[in-house]
């Protein structure tokens, strides 16, 4: 009889606890996600103050923890909309903002930028999303400028002529850059260019359209914007070299690729079972793939994650939580990875055809699953630094903490100073009493 992933759940857990895997994850997190900081305390005369009590509390992470935010304002009850917002803000510091051409410009020239645009399921108007993200300090990632796939991306009204399509792609990128280039600083410029769709699934594209898309983006967006390329899950394994070859070709042509996106979708309980049975994506293969793409010297964004909770049973929910926690730990430990984005946050929030499984971090009633709590423990507790102590004889309080923003408080002093501990170096702050 064929083994099921629930016959021996410890088998999956154990291969993540293998000494070499566990050590690489543990050491990678310590080395690549933390840094050293010093708080110096001086008196009014500028002399060091020993014995001063210092409290350090991390308020945000430099690492991008996000998801798509496609259900923002998408419920017909305000209590559900608030529940979605609260759950989102309770976990993430970043958001993937939808810019799918088919729904952003359903008719030629009629752009759905404004917050009061006609509603479309899973496609909140960008202005609405941008306002929400700016209000709550969420970092934004625009998705996507060019994607040749007919079902979700390319409008049916586009001409079949490749030259005319090229002109319209340039126009689209220019219009988006003019409106959002100053506020959204990361974009998927080209999506799923080597996904292997059939000829009937894609719109006729201009020759070398990938390089042209990056050229248009570089022309119209501000210089401080980062341009990513993004690709499907099959390019972790076994076809990763095909994606790497595309990246190399585009870089050789001068494309301003600033980041590399890797999706990680398991769209069925059967695929999830194979993961749990160690037939898919063992830890070493994930490290090998990240090492390969890391050779390009660009940050990697694990950009779209789907992990099901098979059957939504207690066993399935626990399995989803286990898998999410282990995968996040591995991705977080790798020096090239700078962001991880879950895809559909609630059950029932996936695209038609992908919504037959329970792949959310929230149930359909928006209550948290074990996977939500598991990631919340990692992101907001285990990977956050909070410490306290007293200054030494030289008025110094030193600590090692996770990269991010900190509030520094002192006994007997009103208000708090702030400190930024960034991946590119240590951080010092001097506080005068």
């Amino acid at each position: 009889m064929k083994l099921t992933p629930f016959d021996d759940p410890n088998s999956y857990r154990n291969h993540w606890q293998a000494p070499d895997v566990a050590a690489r994850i543990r050491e990678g997190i310590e080395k690549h996600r933390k840094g050293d900081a010093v708080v110096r305390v001086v008196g009014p005369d500028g002399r060091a103050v020993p014995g001063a009590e210092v409290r350090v509390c991390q308020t945000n992470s430099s690492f991008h923890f996000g998801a798509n935010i496609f259900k923002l304002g998408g419920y017909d009850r305000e209590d559900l909309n608030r529940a979605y917002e609260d759950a989102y803000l309770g976990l993430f510091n970043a958001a993937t903002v939808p810019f799918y051409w088919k729904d952003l410009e359903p008719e030629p020239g009629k752009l759905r930028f404004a917050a009061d645009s006609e509603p479309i399921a899973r496609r909140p108007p960008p202005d609405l999303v941008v306002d929400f993200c700016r209000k709550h300090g969420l970092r934004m990632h625009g998705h996507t400028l060019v994607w040749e796939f007919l079902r979700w991306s390319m409008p049916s009204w586009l001409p079949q002529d490749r030259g005319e399509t090229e002109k319209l792609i340039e126009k689209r990128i220019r219009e988006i850059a003019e409106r959002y280039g100053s506020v959204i600083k990361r974009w998927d410029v080209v999506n799923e260019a080597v996904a292997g769709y059939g000829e009937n699934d894609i719109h006729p594209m201009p020759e070398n359209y990938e390089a042209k898309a990056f050229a248009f983006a570089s022309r119209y967006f501000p210089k401080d914007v980062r341009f990513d390329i993004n690709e499907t899950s099959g390019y972790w394994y076994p076809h990763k070299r095909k994606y790497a070859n595309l990246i190399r070709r585009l870089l050789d042509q001068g494309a301003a690729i600033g980041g590399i996106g890797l999706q990680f979708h398991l769209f069925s309980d059967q695929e999830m079972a194979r993961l749990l049975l160690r037939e898919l994506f063992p830890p070493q293969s994930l490290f090998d793939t990240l090492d390969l793409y890391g050779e390009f010297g660009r940050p990697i964004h694990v950009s779209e994650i789907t992990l099901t909770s098979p059957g939504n049973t207690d066993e399935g929910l626990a399995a989803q939580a286990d898998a999410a926690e282990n995968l996040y730990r591995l991705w977080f430990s790798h020096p090239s990875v700078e962001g991880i984005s879950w895809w559909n946050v609630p059950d029932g929030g996936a695209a038609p055809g992908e919504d037959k499984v329970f792949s959310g971090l929230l149930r359909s009633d928006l209550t948290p699953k074990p996977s939500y709590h598991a990631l919340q423990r990692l992101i907001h507790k285990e990977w956050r630094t909070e410490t306290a102590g007293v200054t030494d004889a030289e008025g110094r309080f030193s600590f090692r903490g996770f990269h991010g923003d900190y509030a520094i408080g002192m006994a007997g002093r009103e208000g708090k100073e702030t400190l930024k501990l960034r991946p590119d170096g240590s951080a010092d702050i001097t506080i005068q009493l």
Side-chain angles (χ1 to χ4, degrees):
M1 184 171 65
K2 184 175 176 56
L3 185 70
T4 76
F6 306 125
D7 290 332
D8 183 13
N10 286 328
S11 175
Y12 175 74
R13 298 185 186 118
N14 289 342
H15 86 143
W16 284 93
Q17 295 168 4
D20 56 337
V21 173
R24 181 169 180 180
I25 291 173
R26 181 179 63 254
E27 293 166 7
I29 291 174
E30 180 64 31
K31 179 178 180 179
H32 305 301
R33 300 302 165 208
K34 299 174 80 173
D36 298 310
V38 176
V39 179
R40 294 183 173 87
V41 181
V42 300
D45 58 359
R47 301 180 65 178
V49 176
E53 297 181 11
V54 178
R55 299 184 305 277
V56 175
C57 181
Q58 188 174 357
T59 57
N60 205 346
S61 175
S62 294
F63 199 88
H64 294 246
F65 293 107
N68 83 45
I69 199 166
F70 297 173
K71 293 291 287 183
L72 183 70
Y75 293 93
D76 57 7
R77 288 168 36 193
E78 280 308 297
D79 62 320
L80 294 178
N81 285 321
R82 297 292 82 76
Y84 176 81
E85 294 175 7
D86 290 345
Y88 198 100
L89 296 171
L91 188 56
F92 303 116
N93 65 9
T96 297
V97 186
F99 280 87
Y100 298 94
W101 197 350
K102 179 187 289 286
D103 300 310
L104 196 64
E105 192 175 3
E107 297 179 48
K110 294 186 177 180
L111 296 163
R112 293 181 59 256
F113 289 153
D116 60 354
S117 298
E118 182 179 352
I120 295 179
R122 300 182 73 253
R123 298 292 184 262
D127 282 3
L128 177 72
V129 179
V130 167
D131 287 347
F132 179 82
C133 290
R134 296 180 78 176
K135 178 181 178 180
H136 296 286
L138 296 173
R139 306 158 203 175
M140 291 173 275
H141 186 91
H143 176 81
T144 176
L145 296 179
V146 180
W147 184 19
E148 62 183 346
F149 193 39
L150 287 169
R151 183 179 183 188
W152 298 123
S153 181
M154 304 300 270
S156 59
W157 53 261
L158 278 177
Q160 296 294 299
D161 181 82
R162 298 174 191 270
E164 291 301 312
T165 295
E166 181 176 331
K167 294 175 184 177
L168 289 167
I169 288 173
E170 181 177 6
K171 174 177 177 289
R172 164 178 161 78
I173 292 175
R174 174 176 53 79
E175 290 172 337
I176 291 175
E178 289 172 351
R179 193 174 183 104
Y180 299 104
S182 64
V183 292
I184 301 179
K185 296 303 182 180
R186 295 174 20 159
W187 292 85
D188 288 328
V189 174
V190 173
N191 190 54
E192 301 185 5
V194 291
Y197 298 117
E199 185 175 344
N200 293 331
D201 295 323
I202 60 175
H203 184 83
M205 299 296 280
E207 184 179 357
N208 200 19
Y209 78 91
E210 305 95 338
K212 291 175 180 176
F214 277 97
F216 295 147
S218 296
R219 181 181 306 166
Y220 294 114
F221 277 90
K223 299 302 182 185
D224 62 344
V225 170
R226 192 182 97 185
F227 304 129
D228 285 14
I229 188 167
N230 191 44
E231 197 47 71
T232 56
S233 310
Y235 297 92
W236 286 86
Y237 175 86
H239 307 297
K240 56 191 175 187
R241 182 57 64 182
K242 186 176 180 182
Y243 185 30
N245 289 343
L246 171 64
I247 295 169
R248 173 51 57 202
R249 173 172 69 80
L250 292 175
L251 290 173
D252 289 346
Q253 292 176 333
I257 298 176
I260 297 170
L262 285 167
Q263 301 171 27
F264 196 88
H265 291 299
L266 301 182
F267 282 130
S268 71
D269 287 349
Q270 290 72 29
E271 288 180 301
M272 187 68 177
R274 292 187 65 201
L275 177 79
L276 298 170
L277 289 168
R278 300 183 297 167
E279 296 173 2
L280 283 179
F281 302 115
Q284 189 56 53
S285 78
L286 298 174
F287 276 129
D288 290 345
T289 298
L290 293 172
D291 291 344
L292 169 68
Y293 293 116
E295 293 175 2
F296 289 107
R298 268 70 174 173
I300 294 172
H301 178 203
V302 184
S303 55
E304 305 176 23
I305 300 165
T306 298
L307 298 174
T308 75
S309 48
N312 237 20
T313 63
D314 289 345
E315 293 173 321
L317 291 165
Q320 183 193 40
D322 277 351
E325 181 170 350
N326 285 312
L327 289 165
Y328 268 64
R329 285 184 186 278
L330 185 149
W331 292 327
F332 189 64
S333 75
H334 196 278
S336 295
V337 178
E338 54 82 76
I340 305 172
S341 294
W342 196 267
W343 202 230
N344 300 297
V345 178
D347 286 343
E354 300 170 7
D355 57 356
K356 298 175 182 178
V357 292
F358 302 97
S359 63
L361 298 172
L362 309 174
R363 300 176 179 86
S364 57
D365 64 0
L366 303 184
T367 56
K369 293 182 181 181
S371 52
Y372 181 94
H373 292 303
L375 295 183
Q376 193 176 52
R377 284 193 300 272
L378 287 180
I379 296 168
H380 290 280
K381 294 188 180 297
E382 185 173 330
W383 295 337
R384 287 287 179 99
T385 298
E386 187 169 346
T387 187
V390 296
T391 55
D392 62 16
E394 298 179 349
R396 296 159 51 98
F397 173 71
S398 302
F399 70 95
R400 182 168 177 80
F402 287 97
H403 300 139
D405 300 333
Y406 286 82
I408 311 296
M410 294 189 60
R413 176 186 174 89
E414 293 185 6
K416 292 183 177 180
E417 306 289 341
T418 59
L419 176 147
K420 295 183 181 296
L421 180 54
R422 293 292 181 250
D424 55 1
S426 59
D428 292 359
I429 184 173
T430 297
I431 300 175
Q432 187 173 46
L433 296 179

